[in-house]
Amino acid sequence: MTYQLHYWPTIQGRGEFVRLALEAAGVDYVDVAREPPKQGGGEAALVRRLKDPHNPWPPFAPPFLVHGSVFIGQTAAILLYLGPRLHLVGDMEQERVWTHQIQLTIADVVAEAHDTHHPVGTGLYYEDQKPEAARVAQSFREERIPKFLNWFEQVLRHNPAGDTHLVGDALSYADLSLFQLVEGLRYAFPKATARALAATPAVVKLHDNVGRRQRVQEYLNSPRRIAFNEDGIFRRYPELDG
Amino acid sequence: MTYQLHYWPTIQGRGEFVRLALEAAGVDYVDVAREPPKQGGGEAALVRRLKDPHNPWPPFAPPFLVHGSVFIGQTAAILLYLGPRLHLVGDMEQERVWTHQIQLTIADVVAEAHDTHHPVGTGLYYEDQKPEAARVAQSFREERIPKFLNWFEQVLRHNPAGDTHLVGDALSYADLSLFQLVEGLRYAFPKATARALAATPAVVKLHDNVGRRQRVQEYLNSPRRIAFNEDGIFRRYPELDG
């Protein structure tokens, strides 16, 4: 049964955490909104499913995953479901809930990164909230990025199986998501992120290891990987970097 | 094995979603930071565990749960773990992931409610970010509260088992959390929330049903229920309500 990912077709955004898991696992999947409308794809297909009045499990927002009769929204919930199926999480309950806990903390950073350019409201443009964005970005750069990256560094260093992976001694969806978080932070806040990463060598090593994995590398070099841009969550507005 | 909840002892905050689940299930638990220091409680005990350098699963922040050798942070992850043990989630995987997805959406509202009084940074006082807070609160009141409450209304109405519960025909931790969300929104934004709830009768009914449950009612009337206050997530600043 093919996994059907539904996400906006022109940005990495939150959908990228799911794309990376599917790509790293090497499974077949359809990125629905990026398929031609004639083949049932396009943004219209995504919106149709999002607003389907008969769906007993209506997602609040993309990304959402359709897998047979299963229908799941919320990035972390999608990865919770995919984890065991893609062999991207351990078998023990403590490992699974720990991996999920790390993922939820990554989701918190992602939400805060979004709020640096949209602190007032998602319904407004960045240009309409620049003074607020400047203050939020300063706090994010100076306090939050170091605090979060230091926490991931501690998680890696405390891992009894060594600091190559966040959980145990095998790749998990949390590793892939931390790779993506570092990618995004480096794109949006190159200076602030470089300063913070100087103190977190294990995070840098994990990022580099994940990026060198064959399937991940093939994906990153393929047209399936959308470039970062200023419609996504991680946006490069030089005035917000310090 | 007794559940040990670790959360700040003077606020409802995110810990309240866990307290409500434990109370509604009628299980024994210890609210560690509210126990006397002589009996191993107090805020110092919480901080000691939070910063334990030997913990292989260090939580990013409270709340966290200790259950035997299991150690879990992140509110939604704690409820994911407690759900089956407290009989507050169904047996089928689709029900479990759907309940969790609803919980994650509740967590999103909670984070946005927090940002209405702390839009710039958690390290600053509300008084240091009042102009930003006024703009964020307006967007939260006018767009986000109605949008989220309407989504919960749709979830209730689309439930094939009827609109008494969010998932299936039995109480879940998501029902308890939606009760708490309504409580918090009514406290912090009484006018805006009343306006939005006028359009979501099923949400109001669920809130009232949960509040009438015997164990929930006993809890709410007990000294264990901390009153809302302006140190928590839901704060009543009249200038932020419309």
Side-chain angles (χ1 to χ4, degrees):
Chain A
M1 224 159 24
T2 305
Y3 296 103
Q4 296 188 304
L5 171 64
H6 292 71
Y7 195 64
W8 306 117
T10 56
I11 60 170
Q12 293 187 18
R14 289 183 169 85
E16 196 66 13
F17 298 95
V18 183
R19 290 190 185 113
L20 264 174
L22 294 163
E23 292 279 352
V27 296
D28 276 341
Y29 76 101
V30 179
D31 201 342
V32 174
R34 296 175 75 189
E35 292 291 302
K38 281 185 184 170
Q39 289 165 38
E43 224 172 281
L46 177 156
V47 173
R48 204 161 46 238
R49 267 199 152 146
L50 181 64
K51 298 193 182 293
D52 175 5
H54 303 296
N55 181 2
W57 309 296
F60 184 76
F64 55 92
L65 182 82
V66 179
H67 186 220
S69 63
V70 172
F71 207 106
I72 310 171
Q74 284 276 2
T75 311
I78 296 171
L79 292 171
L80 183 73
Y81 174 84
L82 286 177
R85 290 172 172 80
L86 305 184
H87 307 290
L88 288 174
V89 72
D91 288 331
M92 306 290 288
E93 184 182 24
Q94 170 79 47
E95 288 174 298
R96 290 195 178 182
V97 78
W98 175 229
T99 307
H100 191 59
Q101 182 183 335
I102 297 169
Q103 187 67 38
L104 291 174
T105 307
I106 292 171
D108 287 343
V109 197
V110 170
E112 292 193 23
H114 170 269
D115 288 351
T116 58
H117 52 78
H118 274 75
V120 176
T122 47
L124 298 170
Y125 291 105
Y126 165 59
E127 284 69 23
D128 298 325
Q129 44 194 318
K130 285 179 82 163
E132 292 87 354
R135 280 196 81 187
V136 175
Q138 183 188 359
S139 154
F140 186 66
R141 279 193 319 261
E142 295 179 2
E143 292 161 38
R144 305 300 281 172
I145 291 179
K147 180 165 178 170
F148 279 114
L149 291 182
N150 283 336
W151 184 73
F152 296 117
E153 182 79 8
Q154 291 313 307
V155 169
L156 287 163
R157 291 190 184 196
H158 289 198
N159 183 352
D163 66 2
T164 305
H165 297 285
L166 286 162
V167 184
D169 61 359
L171 183 76
S172 72
Y173 62 79
D175 291 329
L176 295 165
S177 292
L178 183 55
F179 164 84
Q180 174 65 8
L181 177 66
V182 170
E183 289 277 295
L185 291 174
R186 277 180 169 161
Y187 175 77
F189 303 95
K191 293 186 220 163
T193 304
R195 281 196 298 274
L197 286 174
T200 60
V203 172
V204 173
K205 192 181 74 174
L206 178 139
H207 168 274
D208 295 350
N209 284 341
V210 169
R212 269 197 294 267
R213 296 182 72 93
Q214 192 184 338
R215 287 193 196 114
V216 173
Q217 211 171 69
E218 282 170 11
Y219 168 61
L220 297 177
N221 293 328
S222 79
R224 299 191 301 284
R225 173 76 163 186
I226 300 163
F228 282 109
N229 61 53
E230 280 55 56
D231 295 317
I233 286 177
F234 295 106
R235 303 188 185 185
R236 180 173 290 173
Y237 295 130
E239 64 273 22
L240 297 185
D241 195 12
Chain B
M1 224 157 27
T2 304
Y3 297 103
Q4 295 187 305
L5 171 64
H6 293 70
Y7 195 64
W8 306 117
T10 55
I11 60 170
Q12 292 187 18
R14 288 183 169 85
E16 196 66 13
F17 298 95
V18 183
R19 290 190 186 115
L20 265 174
L22 293 163
E23 292 280 352
V27 296
D28 276 342
Y29 76 102
V30 179
D31 200 343
V32 174
R34 296 173 76 189
E35 293 290 302
K38 281 186 184 169
Q39 289 166 38
E43 223 172 281
L46 177 157
V47 172
R48 203 161 48 239
R49 268 201 150 144
L50 182 63
K51 300 195 181 293
D52 175 4
H54 303 297
N55 182 2
W57 309 295
F60 184 76
F64 56 92
L65 182 82
V66 179
H67 186 219
S69 64
V70 172
F71 207 107
I72 310 171
Q74 284 276 2
T75 311
I78 296 171
L79 293 170
L80 182 74
Y81 175 83
L82 287 177
R85 290 172 171 80
L86 305 184
H87 307 291
L88 288 174
V89 73
D91 289 331
M92 306 290 289
E93 185 181 26
Q94 170 78 47
E95 289 174 298
R96 290 194 178 181
V97 78
W98 175 229
T99 307
H100 194 57
Q101 182 183 334
I102 297 169
Q103 187 67 38
L104 291 174
T105 307
I106 292 171
D108 287 343
V109 197
V110 170
E112 292 193 21
H114 171 270
D115 288 352
T116 59
H117 51 78
H118 274 75
V120 177
T122 48
L124 298 170
Y125 291 106
Y126 165 60
E127 285 68 25
D128 298 325
Q129 44 195 318
K130 285 180 84 164
E132 291 87 353
R135 279 196 82 187
V136 175
Q138 184 188 358
S139 154
F140 186 66
R141 279 192 322 261
E142 295 178 1
E143 292 160 38
R144 304 301 281 172
I145 291 180
K147 181 167 179 171
F148 278 114
L149 290 182
N150 284 335
W151 183 74
F152 295 117
E153 182 79 8
Q154 291 313 307
V155 168
L156 286 164
R157 292 190 186 197
H158 289 197
N159 183 351
D163 65 2
T164 305
H165 297 287
L166 286 162
V167 184
D169 61 358
L171 184 76
S172 72
Y173 62 79
D175 291 329
L176 294 164
S177 292
L178 183 55
F179 164 84
Q180 174 65 8
L181 177 65
V182 170
E183 290 276 296
L185 290 175
R186 276 181 169 162
Y187 176 77
F189 303 95
K191 292 187 221 163
T193 304
R195 280 196 299 274
L197 286 173
T200 60
V203 172
V204 173
K205 192 181 75 174
L206 178 140
H207 169 274
D208 296 350
N209 283 341
V210 169
R212 268 197 294 266
R213 294 181 73 94
Q214 193 185 338
R215 287 193 196 115
V216 173
Q217 211 170 71
E218 283 170 11
Y219 169 60
L220 297 176
N221 293 328
S222 79
R224 298 191 301 284
R225 172 76 163 185
I226 300 163
F228 282 109
N229 61 54
E230 281 53 59
D231 295 318
I233 285 178
F234 295 105
R235 303 188 185 186
R236 180 173 290 174
Y237 295 130
E239 64 273 23
L240 297 185
D241 195 12

